[in-house]
Amino acid sequence: MAVQRTLCIVKPDAVEKNVVGEILRRVETDGLEILALKMTRLTDQQAQGFYAVHRERPFFKDLVAFMTSGPIALAVLEGDDAIARWRNLMGPTNSSEAPAGTIRGDLGTDIERNAVHGSDAPETAAVEIPYFFNATEITAPVEALAG
């Protein structure tokens, strides 16, 4: 397995429910390392830029409105096969179809208010992480510091 990094967004619905700590607990329990963590509130411009791939889709305006409706928590996660592991923890995009025990199954409501976002591929993570974090905000893993 390759060590990977992935972006984690705790969306406004989950922040409003006060479950950021529960989500981060699940991340750490799975053995993923949190290399960076911050809270912010997206501007329309930031949300439109981040979700630009969906610009032509009918749900784009609603997605931007939702993602700017309240604060979000952002994290960079690292670990062996981190992208697949984080996506497994999240569960399917539509919370109403996500099984119990997944973050979206336990904490989400529907396809939009699904509590979390995660990168879907290494190429996506390589674009998404620097969208929100600069290199000085991401801590090096302990092993790299010892070497």
Side-chain angles (χ1 to χ4, degrees):
M1 283 188 265
V3 173
Q4 298 174 322
R5 289 183 178 176
T6 187
L7 181 70
C8 160
I9 300 177
V10 179
K11 295 181 178 183
D13 57 317
V15 173
E16 184 179 357
K17 290 179 185 175
N18 292 315
V19 293
V20 175
E22 170 61 19
I23 292 168
L24 295 177
R25 183 196 64 75
R26 291 182 189 206
V27 165
E28 292 183 321
T29 298
D30 190 66
L32 292 170
E33 186 172 355
I34 300 169
L35 299 184
L37 178 65
K38 64 182 171 182
M39 288 190 74
T40 191
R41 186 167 183 157
L42 296 180
T43 64
D44 281 345
Q45 183 179 11
Q46 288 171 316
Q48 288 174 16
F50 185 75
Y51 289 107
V53 67
H54 299 302
R55 186 173 304 282
E56 300 305 318
R57 299 233 171 119
F59 60 82
F60 180 73
K61 287 184 180 180
D62 289 340
L63 176 61
V64 169
F66 168 60
M67 290 302 294
T68 59
S69 68
I72 61 171
L74 297 157
V76 177
L77 311 179
E78 183 178 81
D80 289 335
D81 205 22
I83 293 168
R85 287 171 58 198
W86 174 227
R87 294 189 70 75
N88 186 54
L89 282 171
M90 288 190 303
T93 302
N94 190 342
S95 292
S96 63
E97 298 171 0
T102 65
I103 292 168
R104 289 174 171 159
D106 295 346
L107 305 173
T109 307
D110 54 42
I111 198 161
E112 182 179 75
R113 288 173 160 41
N114 61 6
V116 289
H117 165 87
S119 306
D120 62 3
E123 300 78 17
T124 310
V127 172
E128 290 182 345
I129 291 170
Y131 192 86
F132 293 111
F133 293 94
N134 66 52
T136 62
E137 294 175 302
I138 302 171
T139 61
V142 176
E143 301 80 34
L145 295 174

